[in-house]
Amino acid sequence: MRKLTIGVWVLAQAMLMSCSQVSTDTAAVSSANEASAAAQGLELKLELADNYHEGKAQSRSVLTITNNGAEALPAKGWKLYFNGGAVRSADTTVAIVKHFNGDLHYLAPGPEFKEIAPGASATVEVLGRAVRNVSNFPVGFYIVYDAEPGKGIPVSLKVEPGTHFDEATQQFAAKTYEANAAIQDMPATALTKVFPTPVSYQEKGAPFVVDAKVTLVADADFKKEAEHLAAVLATATGQQPAVQSNATGKAIFLRKKPGMGAEEYTLSVTPERIEITASSAAGAFYGVQSLKTLLPATAYAGKAATVEVPGVEVKDAPRFGYRGFMMDMARNFQPKAEVLKVLDVMALYKMNKLHFHFSEDEGWRLEIRPLPELTAVGGTRAHTTDGSSIVPSYGSGPDAANKAGTGFYTREDFIEILKYARDRHIEVIPEIESPGHARAAIKAMDARYTKLMDEGKKEEAERYLLRDLNDKSVYRSVQGWNDNIMDVSLPSTYTFLETVVDEIMAMYKEADAPLHTIHFGGDEVPSGVWEKSPSVQRLISQNAEVKNTDDLWYYYFGKVNQMLKKRGLYLSGWEEIGLRKEVMNGKVNWVPNQQFANENFHVNVWKNDPGSGAEDLAYRMANAGYKVILTGVTHFYLDLAYNTSYGEPGLYWGGYVDIDKPFYFIPYDYLRNLKEDNKGNPLDRSIIKSKEPLTEKGKSNIVGIEAPLWSETNLTTEAFEYKLLPKLLGVAERAWSKDPNWAKEKDAAKSEKLYSQAWSEFINVVGKRELPRLDAYAGGYGYRIPTAGAKVVDGKVAANVQFPGFTIRYTTDGTEPTATSQKYTAPVEATGAVKLRVFNAAGRGGQTITIQNQTSM
């Protein structure tokens, strides 16, 4: 993935004092930290004093250390550790800020630092990068005393951003207001009631009424799909119908019809009969999902005597065979229950590939029984000195009990996940990050080595080593690590990979789940790697095909490819697995590698950010023969912040992604709709003028779409779901539905008019049908509720909302709006601070935005 900076900025959402918002990412961590900090007696406050210090894009902040304890904080003998954030340097006479590894830094007292007596405070000025949103502030503070180097004590932090973002907030609210104003409010009767939008949809005739006596009939091959529907109907009516093989009269039928496409289905609803036809179980399943979206949202909230299903005729099939979502549970962990919820929402919206990102620098999350250290060490994050865990990252703190940093799926857990996915026609694609992003695995195998060497078992100790112990290479990865790359010259590296692959295959076999490919990562290996590895030098001297460290790339993926082929699998990876480095006129260029172009490599091409030079890389690779999954950061990275607002959590190195970005993506001509740079400003079109278009041959190599959700800023399930939804609905629409008319229209003005209509229809469906459904579906999802658009018009505060069907409430007395506050129905005449907040039908609110109306009435 993915980052363009060494110090990864991580979420400080729970620390935000300036506006009301969903404090999800650090809620659990903060409560534990505050309790420990109270016992320790230390509190920290970080005040942003200047966000353009010395005329540069850098921040100056004041860190206040308050000692509420019974003993003085000494003038030396301790370090204050933290992850990421806008703290990079200080006056070295007072404090020293140093990078430790990864996104872990520390602040230590300088020679002129004075002890802090009980009840007293001290301040330290610190410099860092300019702050753009709440995620820029550091998190996970803990103190370590030199006398106890293996013990980390959490310390709480309060952030005060001051008034630096007030003007930008007003401008952002006005920009949002203008964007929302273009959305037409459409009556529910005018909305397509199957989602994603089907190929053919007609409403006709009276509805079918589902009650507790409904009969469900299915051909033998569709029994599982019928049972899935029966469980849904039980939720709706309180009575689960038995699945029968035959019936007459009023009923719901799942019928097999030869000759239809692999995932094609038809759905017909009349007053006497609902019939789903398909040739495959997958097609029948998608027909069932469409039937589920025909049900009113209230059907998932509780029992009803009857439920009406509108009379429709639907013919449908997906545009792409690969409709994927990548879940990163490695950088910060998510429990098994959350994985199952992800599978539920993916299935509802007909997505069929779960890219399971379980290994990273910061965590290994899948039990591999022959190598228990992978999860015992690699699945644990804590401050230790004995190699029993990996270092705290992304705000996980010093305690191994932290659920964001520590956790893994047992073999039984993973088999359950695979079965759950299988029954929903979702293929789980596991990713073994390699050779980069592999620190958790490397450190786990180091721990194994140390243990076995202590037992005198040298040969066994070296069997799975992932690094040359005598390697003196110096490098630094994009995420700040200097020890995270597997040595691909070592035979033990391949022994390790074969063991992991065989264990994974055994789990799939036990689950009776499909496995066609394993993803091997392949991204972001920095320069300097392997250059001083004795093992590498031996390989270069012995293998004529490996002339230098660059050639190790092709050596490695050639061997991995052969390993997978022997097991009947094909290789997947990030785009770099199919690239070759060329140096022309002293400049490094990455071009498609013809060596692997016909090897059935499937590549997730993520790099397309404007100005990178790789805007057209997905098309170049498809044109060269690689099977390409469109995974562009500009439209599909769901972890990116929704917008440029200071209060919006998430990263932004690749731009900003709201639900509109995946919706307006044109798969076969996405260069046409690169609209923004990575700061959210209109794009200079000259950047992409001479880029390579997709050829007809290349078009056949575009296999689908995938949206990743990286987890650096997701310390809780709430934070994860906040970024997942509603963005995922835009992804599902674009991956399933046919090429829309606005994307095919060459005339710019006509295309824009068609797009505006389609966008309004889509956003009405999402706001009035799908998000209310997700309030209760599968236990309910904590999707993001948008911030109100607002601006002062003729002396009054006018407001609107992105999703028709949602409610704006406001206050004028300085208090935060609640679900019972005044409902916005017309522009507000009050002067001063007007606080606005959007609520969904369930009464849950989003972030508050404050508009200053200085107009005298």
Side-chain angles (χ1 to χ4, degrees):
M1 172 185 123
R2 354 49 91 165
K3 291 291 163 305
L4 303 180
T5 59
I6 285 179
V8 179
W9 291 335
V10 290
L11 188 63
Q13 190 173 348
M15 302 181 291
L16 182 61
M17 298 288 113
S18 65
C19 69
S20 171
Q21 63 179 59
V22 186
S23 294
T24 56
D25 293 58
T26 54
V29 178
S30 294
S31 60
N33 284 2
E34 288 166 5
S36 298
Q40 174 63 19
L42 293 182
E43 290 181 355
L44 302 176
K45 180 173 68 174
L46 189 65
E47 299 173 88
L48 182 62
D50 184 0
N51 206 29
Y52 200 66
H53 183 56
E54 296 180 339
K56 302 175 185 177
Q58 62 179 350
S59 62
R60 178 177 64 85
S61 301
V62 177
L63 179 68
T64 301
I65 305 173
T66 300
N67 183 7
N68 295 319
E71 298 180 6
L73 177 69
K76 59 182 178 179
W78 52 268
K79 292 183 177 71
L80 194 61
Y81 287 86
F82 60 91
N83 293 121
V87 175
R88 297 299 170 82
S89 64
D91 180 348
T92 55
T93 63
V94 179
I96 299 165
V97 178
K98 286 192 174 182
H99 176 233
F100 183 77
N101 208 351
D103 78 327
L104 188 62
H105 301 70
Y106 67 82
L107 180 150
E112 295 183 13
F113 188 93
K114 308 297 184 184
E115 75 168 33
I116 304 176
S121 299
T123 60
V124 179
E125 281 202 351
V126 293
L127 301 181
R129 294 186 176 176
V131 173
R132 278 164 67 176
N133 70 18
V134 292
S135 296
N136 291 161
F137 290 105
V139 289
F141 277 84
Y142 64 93
I143 192 168
V144 177
Y145 292 95
D146 292 356
E148 294 183 276
K151 180 181 180 182
I153 303 169
V155 181
S156 63
L157 173 72
K158 177 183 178 182
V159 168
E160 293 188 356
T163 60
H164 298 280
F165 305 98
D166 289 357
E167 183 178 350
T169 296
Q170 308 296 300
Q171 293 171 352
F172 168 74
K175 181 180 178 181
T176 303
Y177 179 87
E178 297 298 335
N180 291 345
I183 297 170
Q184 304 171 45
D185 189 354
M186 299 180 172
T189 53
L191 301 178
T192 300
K193 298 174 180 61
V194 169
F195 186 85
T197 306
V199 172
S200 173
Y201 174 89
Q202 288 183 300
E203 290 191 24
K204 49 173 57 178
F208 181 98
V209 179
V210 179
D211 57 27
K213 298 179 181 179
V214 69
T215 301
L216 185 52
V217 183
D219 289 347
D221 287 351
F222 297 163
K223 185 178 179 183
K224 282 187 177 180
E225 289 66 38
E227 289 172 346
H228 176 85
L229 177 57
V232 172
L233 297 179
T235 299
T237 66
Q239 183 68 41
Q240 182 162 330
V243 178
Q244 302 177 22
S245 60
N246 238 321
T248 57
K250 184 177 178 180
I252 301 173
F253 296 87
L254 275 66
R255 295 300 194 197
K256 187 168 185 177
K257 181 181 178 182
M260 298 177 69
E263 297 177 297
E264 184 182 359
Y265 72 91
T266 65
L267 169 63
S268 174
V269 180
T270 68
E272 296 301 319
R273 183 184 186 91
I274 295 177
E275 183 169 78
I276 294 168
T277 63
S279 292
S280 69
F285 183 79
Y286 297 134
V288 168
Q289 303 317 301
S290 289
L291 177 55
K292 285 162 61 176
T293 62
L294 277 174
L295 300 177
T298 52
Y300 300 94
K303 309 296 185 294
T306 61
V307 175
E308 286 193 355
V309 182
V312 297
E313 293 290 336
V314 176
K315 294 181 180 180
D316 203 9
R319 183 179 188 189
F320 291 109
Y322 189 113
R323 306 177 298 281
F325 168 68
M326 192 216 77
M327 184 174 184
D328 171 18
M329 59 281 291
R331 287 177 170 164
N332 275 315
F333 186 65
Q334 292 293 333
K336 178 183 69 176
E338 191 63 18
V339 180
L340 301 183
K341 281 189 72 177
V342 165
L343 291 168
D344 279 329
V345 76
M346 286 180 65
L348 179 64
Y349 297 126
K350 306 183 180 79
M351 300 184 74
N352 65 349
K353 309 289 182 185
L354 175 63
H355 181 165
F356 199 78
H357 190 87
F358 72 83
S359 67
E360 258 293 351
D361 292 321
E362 300 85 10
W364 182 285
R365 308 301 188 181
L366 179 60
E367 180 185 21
I368 303 296
R369 284 188 177 169
L371 301 171
E373 296 85 2
L374 282 171
T375 47
V377 176
T380 304
R381 286 212 299 260
H383 181 89
T384 59
T385 56
D386 60 0
S388 61
S389 68
I390 50 180
V391 300
S393 300
Y394 305 127
S396 60
D399 190 349
N402 181 275
K403 292 181 180 179
T406 297
F408 67 92
Y409 309 107
T410 65
R411 191 176 193 277
E412 292 75 18
D413 287 339
F414 190 55
I415 289 171
E416 181 183 345
I417 289 167
L418 291 176
K419 289 180 177 178
Y420 203 82
R422 175 203 67 197
D423 291 345
R424 286 154 182 77
H425 298 276
I426 295 171
E427 180 181 355
V428 179
I429 299 173
E431 180 177 358
I432 305 168
E433 268 279 29
S434 68
H437 288 280
R439 190 176 188 272
I442 291 168
K443 294 304 175 184
M445 293 303 96
D446 281 356
R448 180 183 183 278
Y449 171 83
T450 300
K451 173 189 172 187
L452 291 170
M453 286 295 288
D454 289 345
E455 297 173 3
K457 301 176 181 177
K458 184 174 184 295
E459 183 178 350
E460 182 61 19
E462 294 175 344
R463 186 179 178 194
Y464 294 109
L465 266 179
L466 297 176
R467 66 183 180 97
D468 184 338
L469 299 177
N470 297 308
D471 187 0
K472 304 299 181 184
S473 301
V474 177
Y475 62 87
R476 186 69 68 180
S477 77
V478 175
Q479 283 78 19
W481 300 107
N482 64 1
D483 53 358
N484 73 329
I485 312 296
M486 295 179 181
D487 192 325
V488 300
S489 69
L490 293 171
S492 54
T493 293
Y494 301 96
T495 303
F496 170 84
L497 294 174
E498 287 174 352
T499 299
V500 173
V501 166
D502 289 342
E503 283 295 306
I504 287 174
M505 291 182 70
M507 286 185 260
Y508 275 78
K509 183 177 181 180
E510 185 169 335
D512 191 25
L515 178 65
H516 302 112
T517 184
I518 294 179
H519 200 289
F520 269 81
D523 60 323
E524 296 184 332
V525 172
S527 59
V529 167
W530 305 317
E531 290 179 355
K532 296 181 180 179
S533 162
S535 175
V536 166
Q537 295 308 314
R538 283 194 299 272
L539 178 63
I540 290 174
S541 68
Q542 296 167 6
N543 190 323
E545 293 183 2
V546 183
K547 299 178 179 62
N548 51 48
T549 54
D550 287 342
D551 288 345
L552 287 170
W553 194 249
Y554 324 121
Y555 171 82
Y556 174 69
F557 281 108
K559 287 179 71 70
V560 169
N561 185 35
Q562 292 305 312
M563 177 183 70
L564 292 181
K565 277 186 171 182
K566 289 178 183 177
R567 290 161 172 79
L569 304 174
Y570 65 84
L571 175 62
S572 292
W574 299 103
E575 62 206 33
E576 289 94 326
I577 71 169
L579 295 178
R580 176 179 289 276
K581 183 167 76 172
E582 288 186 353
V583 180
M584 296 180 65
N585 300 321
K587 183 180 179 181
V588 173
N589 293 301
W590 291 94
V591 299
N593 180 9
Q594 291 303 318
Q595 178 182 346
F596 299 135
N598 297 310
E599 286 290 317
N600 196 34
F601 280 22
H602 287 226
V603 291
N604 290 92
V605 183
W606 61 271
K607 193 169 183 60
N608 74 322
D609 45 312
S612 66
E615 297 88 349
D616 58 350
L617 183 57
Y619 292 166
R620 285 192 278 129
M621 296 195 77
N623 292 345
Y626 285 92
K627 300 298 182 185
V628 169
I629 300 142
L630 298 169
T631 317
V633 59
T634 56
H635 292 74
F636 294 120
Y637 268 41
L638 305 188
D639 54 297
L640 297 180
Y642 278 84
N643 53 56
T644 60
S645 169
Y646 163 74
E648 193 63 52
L651 304 176
Y652 50 73
W653 63 271
Y656 300 86
V657 175
D658 199 345
I659 189 173
D660 64 323
K661 286 287 187 71
F663 178 79
Y664 72 60
F665 183 79
I666 304 174
Y668 297 141
D669 192 13
Y670 70 75
L671 294 171
R672 171 181 164 185
N673 65 352
L674 283 177
K675 298 180 180 181
E676 297 179 349
D677 63 17
N678 65 3
K679 292 184 178 180
N681 298 318
L683 180 67
D684 176 0
R685 301 295 298 176
S686 67
I687 290 175
I688 57 173
K689 250 185 181 178
S690 59
K691 296 303 175 182
E692 185 173 322
L694 188 66
T695 65
E696 281 303 311
K697 176 188 174 184
K699 190 174 180 180
S700 68
N701 286 323
I702 301 293
V703 298
I705 286 171
E706 179 173 297
L709 205 171
W710 302 95
S711 66
E712 295 97 322
T713 62
N714 301 330
L715 292 174
T716 64
T717 57
E718 292 84 359
F720 169 77
E721 291 183 5
Y722 180 93
K723 297 184 184 73
L724 176 69
L725 295 163
K727 295 180 191 182
L728 191 70
L729 278 71
V731 179
E733 174 75 5
R734 195 51 56 231
W736 178 276
S737 300
K738 64 183 179 180
D739 204 12
N741 291 333
W742 56 264
K744 294 181 286 187
E745 175 57 59
K746 301 301 181 184
D747 183 275
K750 291 180 180 178
S751 175
E752 185 60 33
K753 185 176 181 180
L754 289 169
Y755 173 80
S756 180
Q757 177 68 19
W759 171 242
S760 289
E761 291 173 1
F762 173 77
I763 215 71
N764 271 266
V765 168
V766 171
K768 294 179 178 178
R769 294 188 60 83
E770 297 313 311
L771 293 183
R773 188 186 320 281
L774 294 178
D775 287 330
Y777 190 80
Y781 294 84
Y783 57 82
R784 175 184 180 268
I785 295 171
T787 304
K791 64 184 296 188
V792 177
V793 180
D794 297 331
K796 302 175 185 178
V797 176
N800 57 20
V801 63
Q802 183 182 46
F803 295 122
F806 282 49
T807 301
I808 303 172
R809 296 186 182 274
Y810 70 94
T811 59
T812 57
D813 61 359
T815 61
E816 294 300 316
T818 69
T820 59
S821 296
Q822 182 72 32
K823 182 178 179 180
Y824 176 88
T825 55
V828 180
E829 296 186 6
T831 57
V834 178
K835 291 180 176 286
L836 302 138
R837 192 178 180 195
V838 178
F839 290 83
N840 68 1
R844 184 167 63 87
Q847 293 188 30
T848 294
I849 192 141
T850 303
I851 301 299
Q852 296 292 338
N853 184 10
Q854 307 299 343
T855 307
S856 298
M857 298 300 294

